[in-house]
Each structure stands twice: as structure tokens, then as C-alpha cells.
Amino acid sequence: CSEAMAFGCILLSTDVGFANGLKDGAEYVSLEGDKAHRIASRLYRIEQDRRRFKQIGRCGFERVQQLRWRNAIDTLEAHYVMLMSS
């Protein structure tokens, strides 16, 4: 996910894992839906709007520039400490 975004590519994903913390339609495109034609229609509309297409790619790129291993480690450690003290 983040690797594609780091290259400015639009992330197409379900809202599981990393994408769960992203803004649908702004930082990525959610593929949630119960009908294939709804997903296809959404992708087609975004692809037709070149300005929006580029904007989502740019916002995704900017979002992943904030990712740092130290932040992830600190967050995970704080979560484990909280769990152990409960």
C-alpha cells in the first residue's frame, strides 16, 4: 500500500489495515461495495476526472511521507504497555 503511494500512485484498497486510517476519495479509493459494477463505475468516474485523479495521488504521496519506523515502534510499545497495565 504505502509503497505505491510513495510513487504517487492511487491506492485502490478495501478499508482494512493501513487503508483504514486513510480518507476515502482523498488519500485512496475504497473498493468496498457489494456489486462489481458499483466498484467499476467509481473507478471509471475517478479515471475520467484527471484533476481529481492527480490530486488523490498527490495526497496519498504526502500522507506516506509522514511514515517513520520510530513512530510505529513507539505507538506499538505504548499499546503493549497499556494492555499489560490493564
Side-chain angles (χ1 to χ4, degrees), residues 2 5-6 13 23 26 28 34 42 44 47-48 50-51 55 60 68-69 71 77 83 86:
S2 59
M5 295 169 74
S13 180
K23 296 177 196 122
Y28 88 113
D34 57 348
R42 183 158 194 220
Y44 179 78
E47 194 274 330
Q48 293 300 304
R50 300 306 293 168
R51 194 167 134 267
Q55 180 182 9
R68 298 288 180 263
W69 276 112
N71 296 347
E77 180 183 24
L83 289 174
S86 304

Side-chain angles (χ1 to χ4, degrees), residues 35-66:
K35 304 282 186 213
H37 72 275
R38 287 185 190 164
I39 295 170
S41 175
R42 183 158 194 220
L43 294 176
Y44 179 78
R45 285 192 314 271
I46 290 171
E47 194 274 330
Q48 293 300 304
D49 185 347
R50 300 306 293 168
R51 194 167 134 267
R52 183 168 179 223
F53 188 89
K54 290 178 181 179
Q55 180 182 9
I56 294 171
R58 186 173 44 256
C59 288
F61 173 83
E62 291 170 3
R63 174 69 165 82
V64 297
Q65 299 310 304
Q66 302 167 19

